[in-house]
């Protein structure tokens, strides 16, 4: 198990709202970026033997040395913590596993509620144009950036501790999340200077999978929230952090419903409060990235909010279309749930409940967690309609979809080892 050193944080007033314009804060805009140098991690992106995309290798064994990227993230993150660049001390947050079937994880994070940046855009549209006048990541201080993250030119991973920033090539950055949920909470910001809105494309999702694979740590997961599914900044980014516990969503059983020509298996989560699609496998990392990003693009074009969890070092992806904000707008969410002020995004859907009030933390129960997640989930009828839309989109992208009739269900036991149990024999029907 990963041993994480927890260091007390000196909480600072860094990045006050009045400094959001960037000037005078050593920011990433043209007023400050000229001549700046930031470490560069160049990841291996091509199999030198085959000359094509990387195979899916999964997480490293516990006895293996810690991957360099893994130690780089934690080392740089701890440095920023010691320098007082966070809005509050996340290491002081209480955490507990809620008794019950699922093993939901509850965290009391009052600082995130009080000091997190407010949402500055409409919540009923998944696709919205980038707005330079709103907060975006070019306005953060250079001190928040840990390193640049780019594909290597020669197929081997390399690290350059003092690399120039090529603004014209719009590098991708890894930066701290100043309102962290957990230890090592960082942001992956693809092609930062292109100022892309919060919408997934093929290249950005492949980049996120490379980060998961390169870290090689089962406790490091990446998450994505679309607009309308509780993303708070309309500038393309993924989140990631370390949690040395299995997420409940990772332990839920699955039913295989289709297989794609690239070897990607698509399953439906069973016996979980939220209806979720699971993508895994594929001959290459690109196969999995293309399948999931195509599904995300489909949801975006159909204005369906969604969340994504990247698990198992990039080998397993959970895609969760959701409707909580829609129900909120229609007045269909109970006052009791609204009073908690919990916005169920990717981490909550995955089973890590970030609670904002001491009362809710003290009274945390599996029943309460399930009640919240039940409001997030699409109905079975609507979920099947969404699956049909996704499969049509994948097929139109020339990825052959093979629906399957199964007499077996893939399941994950509490030990996270694959097992097989009897299940449904129904086929998915595409219209």
């Amino acid at each position: 198990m990963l041993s994480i050193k927890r260091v007390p944080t000196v909480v600072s007033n860094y990045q006050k709202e009045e400094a959001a314009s960037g000037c005078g804060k050593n920011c990433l805009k043209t007023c400050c970026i000229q001549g700046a140098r930031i470490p560069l991690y160049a990841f291996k992106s091509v199999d030198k033997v085959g000359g094509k995309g990387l195979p899916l290798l999964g997480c490293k064994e516990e006895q293996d040395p810690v991957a360099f990227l893994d130690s780089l993230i934690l080392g740089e993150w701890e440095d920023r913590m010691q320098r007082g660049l966070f809005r509050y001390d996340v290491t002081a947050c209480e955490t507990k596993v809620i008794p019950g079937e699922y093993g939901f994880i509850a965290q009391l994070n009052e600082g995130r509620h009080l000091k997190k940046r407010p949402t500055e855009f409409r919540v009923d549209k998944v696709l919205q144009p980038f707005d330079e006048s709103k907060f975006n990541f070019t306005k953060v201080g250079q001190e928040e950036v840990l390193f640049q993250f780019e594909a290597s030119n020669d197929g081997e991973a390399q690290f350059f501790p003092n690399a120039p920033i090529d603004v014209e090539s719009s590098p991708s950055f890894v930066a701290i999340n100043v309102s962290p949920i957990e230890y090592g909470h960082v942001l992956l910001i693809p092609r930062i200077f292109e100022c892309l809105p919060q919408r997934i494309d093929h290249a950005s999702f492949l980049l996120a999978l490379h980060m998961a694979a390169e870290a090689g740590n089962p406790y490091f997961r990446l998450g994505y929230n679309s607009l309308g599914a509780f993303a708070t900044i309309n500038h393309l980014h993924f989140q990631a952090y370390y949690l040395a516990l299995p997420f409940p969503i990772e332990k839920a059983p699955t039913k295989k419903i289709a297989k794609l020509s690239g070897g990607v298996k698509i399953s439906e989560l069973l016996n979980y409060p939220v209806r979720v699609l699971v993508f895994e496998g594929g001959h290459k990392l690109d196969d999995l990235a293309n399948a999931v990003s195509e599904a995300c693009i489909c949801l975006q074009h159909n204005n369906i909010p969604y969340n994504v969890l990247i698990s198992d070092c990039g080998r397993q992806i959970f895609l969760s279309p959701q409707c909580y904000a829609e129900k909120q707008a229609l007045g269909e969410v109970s006052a009791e749930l609204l009073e908690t002020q919990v916005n169920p995004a990717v981490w909550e859907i995955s089973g890590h409940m970030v609670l904002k009030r001491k009362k809710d933390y003290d009274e945390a129960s599996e029943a309460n967690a399930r009640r919240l997640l039940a409001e997030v989930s699409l109905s079975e009828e609507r979920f099947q309609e969404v699956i049909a839309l996704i499969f049509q989109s994948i097929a139109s992208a020339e990825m052959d979809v093979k629906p399957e009739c199964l007499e077996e269900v893939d399941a994950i036991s509490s030990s996270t080892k694959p097992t097989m149990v009897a299940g449904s024999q129904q086929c998915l029907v595409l219209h």
Side-chain angles (χ1 to χ4, degrees), residues 294 390-401:
E294 195 63 39
I390 287 174
F391 281 17
Q392 289 167 7
S393 180
I394 288 174
S396 68
E398 299 183 351
M399 286 180 272
D400 292 336
V401 181

Side-chain angles (χ1 to χ4, degrees), residues 19-267:
S21 63
C23 296
K25 294 298 293 185
N26 194 29
C27 71
L28 300 176
K29 299 177 75 66
T30 53
C31 57
C32 302
I33 200 67
Q34 301 302 321
R37 302 178 78 87
I38 293 176
L40 167 63
Y41 186 94
F43 60 87
K44 181 180 178 181
S45 60
V46 175
D47 186 342
K48 293 187 74 176
V49 176
K52 295 186 178 181
L54 288 178
L56 286 166
L57 299 176
C59 297
K60 297 174 176 59
E61 296 296 327
E62 289 186 12
Q63 63 267 27
D64 286 353
V66 175
F68 180 76
L69 178 60
D70 204 35
S71 60
L72 175 65
I73 292 171
L74 286 171
E76 293 296 308
W77 194 90
E78 284 197 3
D79 171 76
R80 302 317 191 272
M81 183 167 64
Q82 294 285 16
R83 288 157 61 178
L85 300 186
F86 295 94
R87 293 181 180 273
Y88 52 83
D89 180 4
V90 73
T91 67
C93 294
E94 296 180 66
T95 296
K96 64 184 178 183
V97 176
I98 301 172
E101 174 188 355
Y102 294 95
F104 290 119
I105 304 150
Q107 182 200 80
L108 176 61
N109 195 325
E110 295 170 297
R112 186 171 174 85
H113 167 49
L114 297 173
K115 300 180 181 181
K116 190 177 185 297
R117 192 177 303 280
T119 301
E120 296 183 300
F121 49 83
R122 295 176 61 176
V123 297
D124 61 341
K125 286 194 177 296
V126 174
L127 295 181
Q128 298 179 46
F130 181 87
D131 186 344
E132 169 63 29
S133 68
K134 306 296 185 183
F135 175 80
N136 64 78
F137 296 115
T138 67
K139 297 180 179 182
V140 306
Q142 292 177 28
E143 297 89 346
E144 292 184 43
V145 179
L146 305 185
F147 52 89
Q148 303 175 67
F149 187 66
E150 293 295 314
S152 172
N153 290 326
D154 64 1
E156 291 294 339
Q158 300 179 65
F159 179 67
F160 305 92
N162 192 29
I165 298 172
D166 183 359
V167 176
E168 294 301 317
S169 70
S170 193
S172 300
F173 283 0
V174 175
I176 60 171
N177 186 328
V178 295
S179 298
I181 288 176
E182 255 299 341
Y183 203 83
H185 194 164
V186 296
L187 304 171
L188 171 63
I189 311 163
R191 313 195 301 280
I192 185 169
F193 298 115
E194 291 183 28
C195 293
L196 302 168
Q198 184 74 339
R199 59 187 298 176
I200 280 179
D201 57 37
H202 292 87
S204 64
F205 198 79
L206 179 59
L207 183 76
L209 287 196
H210 274 295
M211 187 174 184
E214 197 75 15
N217 188 319
Y219 302 127
F220 182 73
R221 290 88 157 189
L222 285 91
Y224 176 88
N225 301 315
S226 78
L227 303 187
F230 302 106
T232 55
I233 297 170
N234 188 20
H235 188 176
L236 180 57
H237 66 288
F238 295 81
Q239 301 183 50
Y241 61 70
Y242 292 85
L243 184 68
L245 289 168
F247 280 4
I249 200 171
E250 296 171 329
K251 300 185 292 180
T254 60
K255 177 179 71 175
K256 184 177 177 182
I257 56 176
K259 190 169 186 179
L260 306 184
S261 54
V264 175
K265 181 180 74 172
I266 303 177
S267 303

Side-chain angles (χ1 to χ4, degrees), residues 202-431:
H202 292 87
S204 64
F205 198 79
L206 179 59
L207 183 76
L209 287 196
H210 274 295
M211 187 174 184
E214 197 75 15
N217 188 319
Y219 302 127
F220 182 73
R221 290 88 157 189
L222 285 91
Y224 176 88
N225 301 315
S226 78
L227 303 187
F230 302 106
T232 55
I233 297 170
N234 188 20
H235 188 176
L236 180 57
H237 66 288
F238 295 81
Q239 301 183 50
Y241 61 70
Y242 292 85
L243 184 68
L245 289 168
F247 280 4
I249 200 171
E250 296 171 329
K251 300 185 292 180
T254 60
K255 177 179 71 175
K256 184 177 177 182
I257 56 176
K259 190 169 186 179
L260 306 184
S261 54
V264 175
K265 181 180 74 172
I266 303 177
S267 303
E268 181 179 342
L269 216 59
L270 299 176
N271 304 325
Y272 196 72
V274 183
R275 292 182 176 86
V276 178
L277 281 178
V278 186
F279 294 74
E280 53 196 330
H283 305 313
K284 300 286 184 182
L285 207 64
D286 304 57
D287 295 320
L288 187 55
N290 288 338
V292 178
S293 57
E294 195 63 39
C296 294
I297 291 168
C298 170
L299 295 178
Q300 289 166 177
H301 287 167
N302 285 280
N303 200 36
I304 301 170
Y306 66 93
N307 309 90
V308 179
L309 178 73
I310 300 174
S311 180
D312 194 20
C313 303
R315 289 197 307 179
Q316 191 174 47
I317 318 296
F318 298 87
L319 176 60
S320 314
Q322 70 144 294
C323 58
Y324 192 84
E326 177 185 342
K327 287 183 177 179
Q328 273 185 307
L330 294 172
E332 296 176 357
V333 178
S334 71
E336 182 184 5
L337 285 178
L338 293 176
E339 285 172 3
T340 68
Q341 300 180 62
V342 173
N343 294 327
V346 59
W347 308 119
E348 288 79 12
I349 289 172
S350 301
H352 190 195
M353 303 296 169
V354 183
L355 304 174
K356 302 173 180 179
R357 302 187 305 179
K358 184 72 162 61
K359 173 181 181 291
D360 298 322
Y361 181 79
D362 291 341
E363 299 174 359
S365 66
E366 183 170 280
N368 288 343
R370 291 188 64 170
R371 192 175 302 117
L372 171 69
L373 295 183
E375 297 297 332
V376 174
S377 184
L378 302 186
S379 67
E380 178 62 26
E381 180 181 8
R382 190 172 176 190
F383 185 60
Q384 293 303 325
E385 290 172 354
V386 168
I387 290 177
L389 282 173
I390 287 174
F391 281 17
Q392 289 167 7
S393 180
I394 288 174
S396 68
E398 299 183 351
M399 286 180 272
D400 292 336
V401 181
K402 179 186 176 185
E404 301 207 1
C405 292
L406 293 188
E407 296 181 359
E408 296 173 317
V409 176
D410 293 333
I412 307 296
S413 70
S414 58
S415 64
T416 72
K417 298 297 183 182
T419 59
M420 303 299 284
V421 298
S424 171
Q425 298 183 27
Q426 293 183 345
C427 283
L428 176 72
V429 179
L430 295 180
H431 300 284

